[in-house]
Amino acid sequence: MEKHQKFCYLKPDFPQKALAALIFLVNKDKEDISFILPLNSLYTSKEDVRIDMEHILAQLRDSGNIMVKVPPTLILLPVVFYSLYPLKRKYWCKSSLSRKIDRSRWFWLVADNPKPYMLLATPAFFDKKSGEWEFSAALPLPLTASDGDIEKLIMGFDYPVDEKAKYAALYIFGKPLKFNWRTGEMSEAPRHSIDEQVAN
């Protein structure tokens, strides 16, 4: 780490409303769900989700993976800004404490019942040329989590955060939505099985 490196001096402009997204990877042979993948980005529009999905499918095609397909229906998790969470220099000095956290499991719990949870959103990158931030939908947390609980999680969660940022943010989840990113069709996501969620 460079001695002159500065930390926590820019205040990110977090959106008041945003979207997190869950996609499904389906086994082409069995036509069943093989994996639930929460996307990294915090989106400000359905169009941003659509553009990202185009990129994801292009990467999947380029990888030569012919055993997995991505259905056009995904789950959107609307969120509303709740509060800022101060970041500290020590959060970037935690490699020995890092542990693997199952984001997929936590996000699926939210998709099934969002009421007990809030979202930790992090400032992933600041573009100096445009002056704009890229934000990540890092991880759902219990609404009952204290500041100490959140700090312990950040200290042990190896997730990209721009060291220039003074704050992360907490968001409250709204009702999950089914979204077909190809057609634009959207509806409320019922609390059913995973296979029913992705049915066209």
Side-chain angles (χ1 to χ4, degrees):
M1 183 184 300
E2 298 180 6
K3 292 183 178 180
H4 65 272
Q5 187 173 4
K6 294 176 64 178
F7 289 82
C8 308
Y9 62 91
L10 291 179
K11 182 179 180 180
D13 185 18
F14 285 95
Q16 290 298 306
K17 295 182 179 181
L19 299 163
L22 286 172
I23 65 172
F24 304 92
L25 304 183
V26 175
N27 186 310
K28 284 186 176 180
D29 290 337
K30 298 181 180 179
E31 290 295 327
D32 58 4
I33 303 299
S34 59
F35 195 68
I36 303 166
L37 180 66
L39 300 184
N40 290 329
S41 295
L42 186 69
Y43 302 98
T44 54
S45 71
K46 297 190 294 293
E47 176 63 12
D48 289 341
V49 177
R50 186 195 66 76
I51 292 171
D52 209 11
M53 287 303 300
E54 293 282 6
H55 292 159
I56 290 169
L57 289 186
Q59 291 173 354
L60 192 60
R61 287 192 297 268
D62 292 344
S63 73
N65 191 333
I66 61 173
M67 298 303 297
V68 173
K69 67 178 182 180
V70 181
T73 299
L74 52 79
I75 301 297
L76 290 181
L77 300 172
V79 294
V80 177
F81 179 83
Y82 176 66
S83 69
L84 294 173
Y85 182 84
L87 297 174
K88 303 174 184 178
R89 181 189 177 107
K90 67 179 181 180
Y91 296 162
W92 283 269
C93 308
K94 57 182 175 59
S95 58
S96 62
L97 298 174
S98 296
R99 65 183 186 276
K100 184 174 178 59
I101 295 176
D102 190 346
R103 289 181 71 240
S104 296
R105 175 181 176 274
W106 278 101
F107 272 99
W108 185 246
L109 290 173
V110 172
D112 184 59
N113 181 19
K115 290 184 179 180
Y117 303 99
M118 57 185 171
L119 175 69
L120 174 66
T122 54
F125 175 72
F126 179 69
D127 189 324
K128 291 182 178 180
K129 290 184 178 180
S130 67
E132 295 182 352
W133 290 88
E134 292 181 11
F135 299 109
S136 295
L139 190 70
L141 305 169
L143 278 174
T144 55
S146 66
D147 286 350
D149 293 332
I150 298 172
E151 178 166 292
K152 288 179 182 178
L153 184 140
I154 292 176
M155 290 292 292
F157 190 32
D158 189 12
Y159 206 76
V161 181
D162 195 307
E163 71 277 1
K164 296 183 287 295
K166 290 178 66 175
Y167 300 99
L170 300 174
Y171 284 80
I172 301 299
F173 285 104
K175 291 183 178 180
L177 301 168
K178 288 176 65 174
F179 175 57
N180 186 313
W181 63 270
R182 289 194 184 278
T183 66
E185 182 181 358
M186 191 161 57
S187 61
E188 187 172 326
R191 294 179 61 181
H192 295 316
S193 70
I194 294 173
D195 290 332
E196 289 175 308
Q197 291 284 16
V198 298
N200 293 328

